[in-house]
Amino acid sequence: MKAVRFHAYGSPDVLRHEDVDRPVPAAGQVLLRVAATSFNPVDATIRAGSMQGPIPVVLPHTPGIDVAGTVEALGEGVDNVAAGDQVIGFLPMTGTGAAAEYVLAPAGILTPAPTSIPLADAAALPLTGLTAWQALFDHAGLTAGQRVLINGAGGAVGDYAVQLAKHAGAHVIATAGPNSGERARAAGADEVLGHGVPELSAVVDAVLNLAPVEPIELAALTSVVRDGGVVVNTTVWMPAPYDKQRGVRGIDLFVNSDAAQLARLVALVDSGELRVTVTRRVPLADLPALHAEAAKSPISGKAVVLPSPAAV
C-alpha cells in the first residue's frame, strides 16, 4: 500500500510518499481502508521533532491523527464493529497515523461515521471536534446562559467551539482575524471582535484560548474573566494563566480520544445542529506539499487528505 512517512525529524522535506506493507490487525485492533485523514498543526510539530517529550513516536512514522474509513478486517476479540462498517476515530497520537491507504486502529476508539456527509469529510471532525467539546464542557463546565470568549475562533477548533457553545445556550464572543470573522459569525457567534485582549462590556464565565498569542497577551486574558471563572488553553507550550486571588483557574488542555463524546458529535452532525466544514481536499501524494505550505502560513479552515486522488 501507499503511505506518507518520515524517517527522521525535520522540515517538510523529510516526508516521503512510499510503498509499505499493509498491516495486519492484532487482538483488539481493526484494519481500516482509509477514506481520509486530515491535516492538523500538531502533525507538523511532531514531524519537526518538537513534541518528542509529550508525543514520542517510532520512526519511520506515518502522520494523520484523524481517520475516516471502512472496516476491512477485525482482530481477535473485536465485537463492536463489523466488516464493511463506516467509522471515524481519533487515533493514538504516539502510534501509526492514517496518511495511508490502510491503517490499524484500536477498536475502542471508533464510532459510526455521520451518514449526512461524505465519509471522507468526516475525517475533519474527531481531533478538532473533541478538542472543542472537552474544552467547553469537560474543563470550562459551560452551561446555558453563561458567557464565553473564544480567542482565535476563526480556525477549525474555533468553528466547532462556537457552534457547540451556541448549541449549549451560551452567549459567544469570538475573536478572529479579518479573513475569518465571517466564518465565526456563520458559526453563530453573538459578537465578533478583532485579535488581542478585547474590551468587553461585561466579564465572561470562561475563556477558551486557541490562538498562539504572546505570553503577556495570554496572561491578560484573565482580566476579562469573572471571579471563580476559568481560562482553558490549547497552546500547551505556554502554561494557562490564572489569578489565584480572584479564584480564576487556568487549565491546559490535552485532548483525549473518546468514542462516546465523538458519537455525541456525530449525532449533532446528523441532526443538522453541527456543521462540518472542509475547505480543501488533498491527494495523499500532496501531503508533503501541504506541510510545506503550512510551514509558511497557517492553513485556512480544515484540509482532508485522501488516499484516492479520484475522491478529491
Side-chain angles (χ1 to χ4, degrees):
M1 69 173 189
K2 289 290 187 182
V4 170
R5 305 194 297 177
F6 56 89
H7 295 251
Y9 296 112
S11 71
D13 293 339
V14 301
L15 292 167
R16 298 283 181 268
H17 184 234
E18 57 191 13
D19 291 310
V20 301
D21 293 334
R22 184 187 298 186
V24 177
Q29 291 184 322
V30 173
L31 178 67
L32 298 178
R33 184 170 72 252
V34 177
T37 185
S38 77
F39 174 80
N40 292 290
V42 71
D43 293 323
T45 57
I46 293 171
R47 184 214 69 234
S50 304
M51 300 291 282
Q52 293 183 55
I55 311 177
V57 299
V58 176
L59 300 179
H61 178 69
T62 303
I65 298 163
D66 292 315
V67 66
T70 303
V71 175
E72 187 80 6
L74 308 175
E76 183 181 352
V78 174
D79 58 7
N80 63 313
V81 294
D85 286 355
Q86 294 188 338
V87 296
I88 61 172
F90 169 19
L91 295 170
M93 298 180 79
T94 57
T96 300
E101 293 178 322
Y102 294 86
V103 68
L104 295 177
I109 64 107
L110 300 173
T111 196
T115 58
S116 58
I117 61 174
L119 177 60
D121 286 2
L125 181 62
L127 176 60
T128 46
L130 286 171
T131 299
W133 181 280
Q134 292 170 18
L136 291 170
F137 306 121
D138 291 356
H139 297 296
L142 191 70
T143 58
Q146 290 189 320
R147 291 167 55 86
V148 60
L149 170 65
I150 299 174
N151 193 45
V157 176
D159 184 57
Y160 290 128
V162 171
Q163 293 183 72
L164 290 170
K166 280 302 296 179
H167 182 263
H171 180 92
V172 180
I173 305 165
T175 70
N179 296 325
S180 53
E182 282 305 314
R183 187 157 58 242
R185 290 186 183 89
D190 296 288
E191 304 175 48
V192 179
L193 309 175
H195 285 313
V197 180
E199 294 184 7
L200 304 179
S201 58
V203 294
V204 298
D205 298 281
V207 169
L208 172 53
N209 180 61
L210 308 172
V213 297
E214 294 297 323
I216 190 170
E217 188 174 330
L218 179 61
L221 289 173
T222 60
S223 66
V224 302
V225 182
R226 65 167 173 81
D227 293 359
V230 61
V231 177
V232 182
N233 178 44
T234 64
T235 56
V236 294
W237 59 90
M238 293 186 295
Y242 61 92
D243 186 333
K244 186 175 182 180
Q245 185 174 2
R246 295 196 300 114
V248 176
R249 295 170 294 131
I251 297 174
D252 292 307
L253 171 63
F254 294 87
V255 62
N256 296 309
S257 184
D258 189 309
Q261 289 180 347
L262 189 54
R264 295 177 75 174
L265 292 168
V266 167
L268 290 173
V269 172
D270 281 339
S271 67
E273 296 169 285
L274 183 66
R275 184 190 68 249
V276 175
T277 301
V278 174
T279 54
R280 295 170 64 178
R281 297 167 181 83
V282 179
L284 179 62
D286 290 349
L287 181 57
L290 187 64
H291 273 245
E293 181 182 338
K296 296 177 182 177
S297 62
I299 299 294
S300 177
K302 192 68 174 175
V304 296
V305 180
L306 304 102
S308 172
V312 178

